[in-house]
Structures are given as C-alpha cells and as structure tokens.
Amino acid sequence: MAITLYSLGAAEEVTGSKHVLEVDGRSYLIDCGAFQGKRAEADRKNRDFGIDTDRIESVVLTHGHFDHCGLLPLLPKSGYKGTIYATPATRDISSLVMMDSARIQARDAEYLGKQAVKKGEKFTWQPLYTEQDAIAATGQIVSVSYQRPMWIGDGVQLEFYDAGHILGSAMAVIKIKQNGSERIIAYTGDLGRKGKPIIRDPATNLPAPDYLVLESTYGDRRHDGTEDAMKRLAEVVRRAVKTKGRILIPSFAIERTQELVYYFHMLTDRGEIPEIPIYVDSPMATNATTIFQVHPECYDEETHEAFIKHHKNPFGFNALHFTTSVDESKALNDMEGPLVIISADGMCEAGRIQHHLIHSIEDPNTTILIVGYMAEDTLGRRIRDREGEVKIHGEWFKLRAQVEAIDAFSAHADYQETIDWLKAIDTSRLKKIFLVHGEKDAQKVFSRHLADNGFTNVEIVRYGVSYDVE
C-alpha cells in the first residue's frame, strides 16, 4: 500500500488550499481553493492547476470559503466528471461563492477590456471560469452529513467531523483500508474555535489519526478574549456616534458577517451601544444569511434555542438593513453618520468594500475595522499595517481614516486553542503532524509551540513536495 501526500496550494502560505492524497496511484483532492494576493501573481497561480483532472479519483471539500472552493469550477471545465464530497451547508455556500466569483470575473473582464480600448492597449485576459462552469461544479457535489462514513474510492473511506470554523465546515477523516491494515489521515481544513456564536465547537470525537494535516494560520498569535473584543467594538461604535462618523468593516460574507450582526444585536440588547443604522452591503452576505436560516443542523445549542424554540431571529434586528442593488450601495456613500457598513470582500481585494474605501479612507472620522485575517500582499493587509498611502482601482489614496483591528472575531483557532484541541482528541496513534495553511514565520513559531507541548514530529509542508505515509 503506497500512500503519499503533497500540496499544490496553502503550502508555506495561507490561501489557495489544494492538497492531494495519493493511494496506490489514485489521487484524492482535498479542497480546491483560489489564491489571493497580488493580482498578477494570484492569476498566474490560479491558472496553473498543478494536476491533470483525469488522475483525480474523488474530491473532498472541507468548507465553502473562496480559498478552499474557489477553483472547483476548473474541474468540470478541464473534464473532471467525478464526485465532489461536502456537507449539505458547504454545498450551498460553495455554490454561492463560485457563482459570485464567476460574475466578478465577468465584470472585471468587461471593465478592463473597456479601459484597454480607451488606452489603445491590447487586452487578452479571460476569466478563469464562467457561471456555467460554476453550475457544473455544484452539480457534481454530493452532500454527506457529519459522521456518515462514505466510500470514495477502492478501500478509501471519508467521514466528516464538525470543524467549528464556518457553517458546514468539516474536518475530513480519511481511512485507508487494504489487506487487513488501516491508516487514518485527518485533514482539519480550517480549524475553528470554542465558544463562537451560531455554530458548534470543533469536534473532538474523531477517531485517532495516524497522520494529521493541520492548519496553522495563527501559529504565532493569540486572539483577544470575546468580552474584551465586545468592549472594543462598543468603544468604536460610541466614538463613531460622537463624531458622526462611519465604520467600514471589510468582512467575509459567510460566517463573519452573520457573527458581527449577532454581536451588534447583543450589544444593542444590553444597552451598551445606541441603536445606529447598520448596513450589510453585500448581495452574497444577504444570500448567505438565508443559507444560515435553512441549516439549523449546524447551530450550537444557544442559537438552536433562540431560533428554533423561541422563534427569535439571531441574524437580524430593527437597525439592520440589507442592500441589494448597486444604486442602494452607492447611496450609502452620501449618507451622514453615524452608521456601520459591513461589506465584502474580506481582504479588500474586490467587491463593494473598495468603493466605500475610495469615498471614506481619507476621512479622519471614518474607522476601518479589521475583523479577520489579511493575507500578505492584499489591500486589507496594507490597511491593517497602516501604510500611509494605498492604491485602489489604480488611484492612490492617503490613509487618514482610523484603523482598528480586533482579532477575537477570527474564525481560526490561535496556536493555544489548536494545542488545546490537540490535547482533547485521541492522539495515541499520531505519528506526524503536517502543517499547511500558514505563513512561513508563523509555522516556525507554531512548530516550537507544538514541540513544547509534546508534539515533536512536525513537518512544514512545502509546495509540490511528496511525503510518504507509512
């Protein structure tokens, strides 16, 4: 039984998760995510798929974030006719994300083409995929609920366990059974955190793995406590009320937006902040909130009580408004504060958030609130690092707005939370931990933290390097 694993993305970097498990020459693709970062580099990486689709036996999708599902439409486009396995909620969310990406690419091609004509330049860029490709990929997804074992190949069995990261997120536990022997390889996908609102905590009842492929996004950092973060969020709101300013929150449309709505609702109910207008300016976030409402199987007990037993809506309240049209979005820029605008894209690389930044980034009464991870070379990272000037849509803008960052809202476990999770699962058979989905420096620090806690056999996965699994 020859088993190897390698990564074609999220190896010594955070985005573009694409991992391959090879069993006796058959390839199983775990996640198929898009790279995010410098546009030219990301485009080049996303077009270099790295594996022929006729070699892929099955595809496993851990969750619906763009950096894990964003390249799935390239599979049917390249001739893949096999199955993509995902939880029911992940199927719905990833379909939404893929369609949104296809539409953004089509709009970008149209806009950039017109700009090239104006400048007399040749324009050859084409979208990676179309809406039809995204629809085809969704059609190949087979929904598998948590802890429902499914054979995905000869002697290869998949079982999903709740990762506690976003709605429907899963750890993929793969059992390889041949000739009376068994190997268990667990992929965490993105590992979530205990005590987050709406969704359940990461599962600890998975079978003891022989090998663990572990994310390491926050391998060198600790998150703020939730109550401390709530206090800081309240302070930001009160300051905006005092200055009649606006709060811009670049947020992932899925999970983070719904979670922020939950926290604003809680602060208003407690009387810690006045009721001010809150606008969710993202069609995808609006649609994602609808998906949340139809997947109560993913709720934690608190949300289940509020939403199912008492018919309270944890995703909306009187001060909350969802914008849909472009005209409604543009109108927000002419409104007087105080107000809150939650808008996608989470790393500020695309979407309506860029237009809001153009209108408000030079206003000292604006607060840009960073509530999630910002990958290297993204606009969000440059804002978080408080660079004096940033480029948006080809124009330079002075960063005069206030910038606040609250890490407690991250959906990724920090290094201590990850170690606590490791200590809670059965590691009696664990031979090695493979680190993926983290920047190089963070992974080095995380390796030391792991060693200090008794996990000494740790390998930082490098792009394209094959690792034998005994």
Side-chain angles (χ1 to χ4, degrees), residues 360-372:
S360 299
I361 198 168
E362 295 188 330
D363 180 4
N365 288 328
T366 291
T367 299
I368 303 169
L369 180 59
I370 305 296
V371 294

Side-chain angles (χ1 to χ4, degrees), residues 54-103:
D54 59 5
R55 290 177 50 199
I56 300 172
E57 182 80 8
S58 299
V59 179
V60 176
L61 177 61
T62 63
H63 66 287
H65 272 153
F66 185 61
D67 64 329
H68 289 257
C69 75
L71 296 187
L72 283 177
L74 293 182
L75 292 171
K77 184 178 180 179
S78 303
Y80 177 71
K81 299 185 185 305
T83 299
I84 302 166
Y85 296 95
T87 65
T90 292
R91 182 186 190 275
D92 290 347
I93 288 171
S94 61
S95 174
L96 181 66
V97 169
M98 291 185 290
M99 287 293 284
D100 187 69
S101 172
R103 291 182 189 124

Side-chain angles (χ1 to χ4, degrees), residues 25 168 178 210 214 222 224 300 322 396 419:
Q178 287 183 6
D210 297 292
L214 179 64
R222 296 289 308 274
D224 300 328
D300 61 16
F322 289 92
W396 288 98
I419 289 168

